[in-house]
Amino acid sequence: MTGFRIETDRLLLREWREADAAAMYEIGRNPHVAEFLGPPPTRAEARALVAGQALNHALFGHCFWPVERRSDGALIGLCGLNPGPEGTPLEGEIEIGWRLAHAAWGRGFAGEAAAASLAWAWDNLACDRIMAMTVPANMRSSRLMERLGMRRVPGGDFDHPALAKGDPLRRHVTYAIARPAQGVGRAASITAISAASRVDSASARAPNASSAG
Amino acid sequence: MIGTPRLTLRPWRAEDKDAFAAIINTPAMMQHFGGVAPREQIDALVDAQVAGQAADGFSMWAVDWRATGELAGIVGLRRAYHPDTPITGELETGWRIAERHWHAGVAREAAAAAMAWGWANTRFPRIVAYTTAGNAPSWGLMLRLGMTRRADLDFHHPRYGPGDPNGTMVVYAVDRPTPD
């Protein structure tokens, strides 16, 4: 095996391939997925998503990675770490995020991928904390953030600058988790998700990614 | 009559039926409506809009392409009329645009104008819309029009059998804007 891989019991987080755009296109064309993420992508937008994340991985050594289900090799979504977007409270921080196909909901896949991403971040990045954002109505997402040990950031609510005034998805809330004290945090964050993860980061590039670029 | 940069929305006339059937009753246009329908069903849709216009002062209007005067589709407002749904009687918007005008923002232009008309000329507290889960272009437009997914209002369309996925409707809604 060469290249970047994070393996968990059931999932593989890997580098992007051009062919992944087709799956991301289909994932976005589900009304449950779109409820808090906005309109379904065009094929061009799905390709741009893949290219953008691949570029982030090349630049920073991490991105929102494609999530493959190991049992059948299906791409079921994305999860990972990006520089926080400019103009948001996450700017200059590391953001964790996820998006799963509706058919893959309810099985703990997002938690399993996110716990592995967090563990990878503590091992490979110099950041003091990891942040996340979602819209207030997205309870599935905010509940997962809390199960991961993240807590709502007081005063961290904001209007996302990429969304127009009046867009019902414009308002966002912010969550954060501090780097755990040495020796306790990683085990705690993973058992909280009840999905033991084996993180293979030996071949991953691990730059200091505290720059938002 | 409602004018937009490229379109005119106007009440239906009986003589629109041939042109309407020609643009609406194609396999692609009817993909999410159970397939090509008997002509009587298409004509009845026009008749229902004429009746709605007379009763309510609004309907799913005829949309004319201003540059040519040709019929381009049907977009507008009606009272959601299927009985026993969570949105029965509410102000509903919807659209069907002729294939030759797809992917050009025509539905969005017409629907935004229809919704603005609805806020200005009715007292309904919100506007709803629905389509099948598989019709991503349509519910994508609902999101772009500022509507929010309302799973609590979803229903099964009475025109389709209980197990028919074409009948599983996803509902979106937007509240009347508050002046700011």
Side-chain angles (χ1 to χ4, degrees), chain B residues 24-60:
Chain B
I24 239 64
N25 205 14
T26 69
M29 291 290 294
M30 297 300 284
Q31 180 192 348
H32 300 287
F33 299 93
V36 170
R39 172 67 188 261
E40 304 85 71
Q41 282 183 24
I42 304 299
D43 288 351
L45 195 53
V46 173
D47 292 335
Q49 303 321 309
V50 172
Q53 184 73 33
D56 297 323
F58 55 83
S59 58
M60 295 283 183

Side-chain angles (χ1 to χ4, degrees), chain B residues 26-172:
Chain B
T26 69
M29 291 290 294
M30 297 300 284
Q31 180 192 348
H32 300 287
F33 299 93
V36 170
R39 172 67 188 261
E40 304 85 71
Q41 282 183 24
I42 304 299
D43 288 351
L45 195 53
V46 173
D47 292 335
Q49 303 321 309
V50 172
Q53 184 73 33
D56 297 323
F58 55 83
S59 58
M60 295 283 183
W61 292 297
V63 177
D64 287 336
W65 188 253
R66 287 173 67 161
T68 62
E70 285 178 304
L71 188 67
I74 174 171
V75 180
L77 303 165
R78 66 181 175 189
R79 293 176 192 269
Y81 65 92
H82 296 294
D84 303 324
T85 77
I87 55 168
T88 302
E90 295 200 39
L91 190 61
E92 175 197 344
T93 186
W95 43 83
R96 300 192 206 184
I97 296 298
E99 289 170 62
R100 85 173 72 98
H101 292 296
W102 283 7
H103 309 304
V106 173
R108 183 177 189 166
E109 183 173 326
M115 290 170 68
W117 189 97
W119 298 135
N121 295 285
T122 78
R123 292 173 169 274
F124 287 92
R126 65 181 179 190
I127 296 177
V128 300
Y130 59 84
T131 186
T132 63
N135 193 349
S138 192
W139 56 253
L141 178 53
M142 294 169 195
L143 292 173
R144 290 187 178 89
L145 288 165
M147 296 187 149
T148 304
R149 172 95 173 90
R150 290 296 300 272
D152 55 318
L153 302 177
D154 285 356
F155 65 96
H156 194 86
H157 200 297
R159 195 196 303 148
Y160 301 91
D164 187 340
N166 283 319
T168 304
M169 295 293 142
V170 289
V171 179
Y172 293 74

Side-chain angles (χ1 to χ4, degrees), chain A residues 164-205:
Chain A
K165 192 168 178 291
D167 190 312
L169 299 178
R170 193 170 186 229
R171 195 70 180 162
H172 277 62
V173 295
T174 304
Y175 281 75
I177 181 172
R179 173 181 289 275
Q182 271 192 327
V184 295
R186 178 166 164 184
S189 71
I190 291 179
T191 51
I193 295 301
S194 71
S197 306
R198 188 176 66 80
V199 177
D200 174 10
S201 57
S203 60
R205 282 159 290 173

Side-chain angles (χ1 to χ4, degrees), chain A residues 23-194:
Chain A
M24 294 311 300
Y25 172 79
E26 291 300 333
I27 287 168
R29 286 173 76 82
N30 178 286
H32 302 281
V33 173
E35 179 170 2
F36 303 118
L37 296 176
T42 63
R43 290 197 184 276
E45 287 165 345
R47 285 194 297 271
L49 167 73
V50 169
Q53 294 306 316
L55 179 63
N56 279 4
H57 188 82
L59 287 173
F60 307 111
H62 56 84
C63 65
F64 292 161
W65 295 294
V67 177
E68 229 180 70
R69 187 166 49 205
R70 293 172 62 186
S71 63
D72 61 356
L75 188 73
I76 60 167
L78 57 74
C79 180
L81 307 155
N82 264 325
E86 290 177 26
T88 76
L90 285 70
E91 182 172 354
E93 310 269 355
I94 298 295
E95 176 189 10
I96 186 168
W98 46 81
R99 176 184 313 180
L100 251 64
H102 181 247
W105 287 13
R107 295 172 173 81
F109 288 137
E112 190 169 322
S117 297
L118 272 182
W120 184 92
W122 303 138
D123 284 349
N124 294 283
L125 304 180
C127 56
D128 294 327
R129 62 176 181 172
I130 304 284
M131 299 187 71
M133 61 171 154
T134 187
V135 297
N138 192 350
M139 301 300 288
R140 299 178 67 91
S141 200
S142 53
R143 277 198 301 263
L144 176 53
M145 291 170 190
E146 294 187 358
R147 284 203 301 280
L148 289 165
M150 308 190 84
R151 292 295 172 259
R152 181 104 173 247
V153 177
D157 296 7
F158 69 102
D159 290 328
H160 200 297
L163 298 172
K165 192 168 178 291
D167 190 312
L169 299 178
R170 193 170 186 229
R171 195 70 180 162
H172 277 62
V173 295
T174 304
Y175 281 75
I177 181 172
R179 173 181 289 275
Q182 271 192 327
V184 295
R186 178 166 164 184
S189 71
I190 291 179
T191 51
I193 295 301
S194 71

